[in-house]
Amino acid sequence: MNGSNTIDSTLLVTSVQEKYNNLRLDRFLSKTYQNYSRSRIKALIEQGHCKRNHVPVKNPSTPIKTNDKIELQIPEVKEYSLIPQDIPLEILFEDNHLIVINKPAGLVVHPAPGNENGTLVNALLAHCGDSLSGIGGEKRPGIIHRLDKDTSGVMVVAKSEQALSKLSADFADRTINRLYHAICWGIPNPSPGSIEGNIGRDPYDRKKMTIVKKGGKYAKTNYKIQKIINPAVSFIQCKLDTGRTHQIRVHLSKQGHPLIGDPVYLKRIPAIAKILPIDQRNELLDFPRQALHATLLGFNHPISNKYHEFETSLPQDMERLIKKITTEK
């Protein structure tokens, strides 16, 4: 059996080739069965689902030897506990490994206590059905990155464990191309420019993030003005070097250019709003969400490695707002 793999139902059996002599057990299995993430394989070993030469082994770091027989039992994939819900989705791309959607503003991505229905995950469970191959032992979609409830735009979601593992690594390695469009107060200067600052939890308000002097995670946002809409408002493009919670919202707010409609980081009427006609000012102050749209997402497909790029138009509510507050020159 040297070098051969056989599959008997959920039992995966292989023998160790010489080139893998002394390799960690979990690393060997993740190399051999690339449909499963290393973290998943490590969990299976620790849960007692692995045997080495017919003897159970629960230590993922166990070194293996040439010609060892390794058996890995994959438990049956369980149905996810959340309820599938028929919620309309704008699908930009889909195959057996991933799905790309244009998320509307107002749609929560992942269920949380007190908000377990009507989310993107509920919608994907209904849409994908049996095409979900199983992630972490459950038949569910794999959320790789999130957009805030009231941020619209492009998102990619994994349908397989292999896709989740690879795309998560790409996001962590900053090899994903992400562009956002936003409407902010004021006219950022210089343009183009960049904003850097570690982002962490606000010690005075746990619902907010902030730029911190100690701790937090490094974050960098590159921006440039696309259009000066009027003397008090700009339409800008943001390109992320990192992807931290509320990153664009925090960075622009700290620079004195909070997003129009931001319910968290815009608590007062900006002084610059006073220079606008009352009708334009009211339109801006009444906008019901942060004016932020994830307009472009580009990545290498986790299986084919082919580059895919998806771009969406500005949503209608942001388009309407721009038209209503534009000062013609």
Side-chain angles (χ1 to χ4, degrees), residues 129-194:
D130 291 338
S131 69
L132 295 171
S133 60
I135 294 173
E138 294 181 307
K139 192 176 287 187
R140 62 177 175 87
I143 302 300
I144 303 157
H145 65 125
R146 301 189 189 192
L147 295 179
D148 298 329
K149 174 185 176 183
D150 288 327
T151 298
S152 54
V154 189
M155 278 190 65
V156 59
V157 179
K159 294 172 64 178
S160 69
E161 191 149 26
Q162 187 177 6
L164 177 64
S165 178
K166 180 63 169 61
L167 285 171
S168 296
D170 288 347
F171 270 86
D173 292 340
R174 306 175 190 171
T175 60
I176 306 294
N177 189 16
R178 285 175 286 177
L179 291 179
Y180 289 73
H181 280 139
I183 308 173
C184 70
W185 286 102
I187 302 172
N189 184 36
S191 177
S194 62

Side-chain angles (χ1 to χ4, degrees), residues 26-253:
D26 58 347
R27 289 194 63 192
F28 166 71
L29 288 173
S30 64
K31 286 177 177 290
T32 304
Y33 304 115
Q34 295 183 9
N35 285 343
Y36 301 96
S37 66
R38 187 172 172 184
S39 60
R40 172 68 172 145
I41 285 173
K42 182 179 179 181
L44 288 171
I45 295 170
E46 292 173 339
Q47 292 164 7
H49 295 292
C50 186
K51 292 181 180 180
R52 175 188 175 202
N53 300 324
H54 308 293
V55 177
V57 55
K58 290 188 175 182
N59 186 353
S61 64
T62 299
I64 57 174
K65 302 297 181 182
T66 302
N67 293 328
D68 276 353
K69 181 181 179 181
I70 308 296
E71 300 169 78
L72 183 67
Q73 189 78 37
I74 307 295
E76 184 178 355
V77 176
K78 300 177 182 178
E79 292 294 329
Y80 201 38
S81 58
L82 292 176
I83 300 171
Q85 292 179 301
D86 187 13
I87 300 170
L89 294 172
E90 182 182 345
I91 297 168
L92 306 177
F93 176 85
E94 182 177 11
D95 63 13
N96 291 332
H97 294 278
L98 57 87
I99 182 169
V100 181
I101 66 148
N102 184 19
K103 187 188 87 68
L107 181 63
V108 174
V109 170
H110 201 279
N115 190 29
E116 297 177 352
N117 293 300
T119 72
L120 176 60
V121 168
N122 296 106
L124 289 171
L125 286 170
H127 171 79
C128 297
D130 291 338
S131 69
L132 295 171
S133 60
I135 294 173
E138 294 181 307
K139 192 176 287 187
R140 62 177 175 87
I143 302 300
I144 303 157
H145 65 125
R146 301 189 189 192
L147 295 179
D148 298 329
K149 174 185 176 183
D150 288 327
T151 298
S152 54
V154 189
M155 278 190 65
V156 59
V157 179
K159 294 172 64 178
S160 69
E161 191 149 26
Q162 187 177 6
L164 177 64
S165 178
K166 180 63 169 61
L167 285 171
S168 296
D170 288 347
F171 270 86
D173 292 340
R174 306 175 190 171
T175 60
I176 306 294
N177 189 16
R178 285 175 286 177
L179 291 179
Y180 289 73
H181 280 139
I183 308 173
C184 70
W185 286 102
I187 302 172
N189 184 36
S191 177
S194 62
I195 307 168
E196 295 183 72
N198 285 25
I199 291 179
R201 189 70 60 181
D202 189 320
Y204 304 105
D205 186 345
R206 302 302 293 173
K207 294 181 180 180
K208 296 175 64 176
M209 308 300 288
T210 190
I211 294 178
V212 294
K213 294 182 178 179
K214 293 184 179 180
K217 293 182 179 180
Y218 172 75
K220 182 178 180 180
T221 302
N222 304 294
Y223 69 85
K224 62 180 178 180
I225 295 174
Q226 300 289 94
K227 178 183 179 182
I228 296 176
I229 300 174
N230 61 43
V233 179
S234 300
F235 178 56
I236 64 172
Q237 179 190 91
C238 296
K239 180 175 173 60
L240 298 186
D241 276 7
T242 56
R244 309 304 180 200
T245 301
H246 296 181
Q247 178 174 321
I248 293 173
R249 299 166 66 186
V250 170
H251 273 170
L252 286 170
S253 176

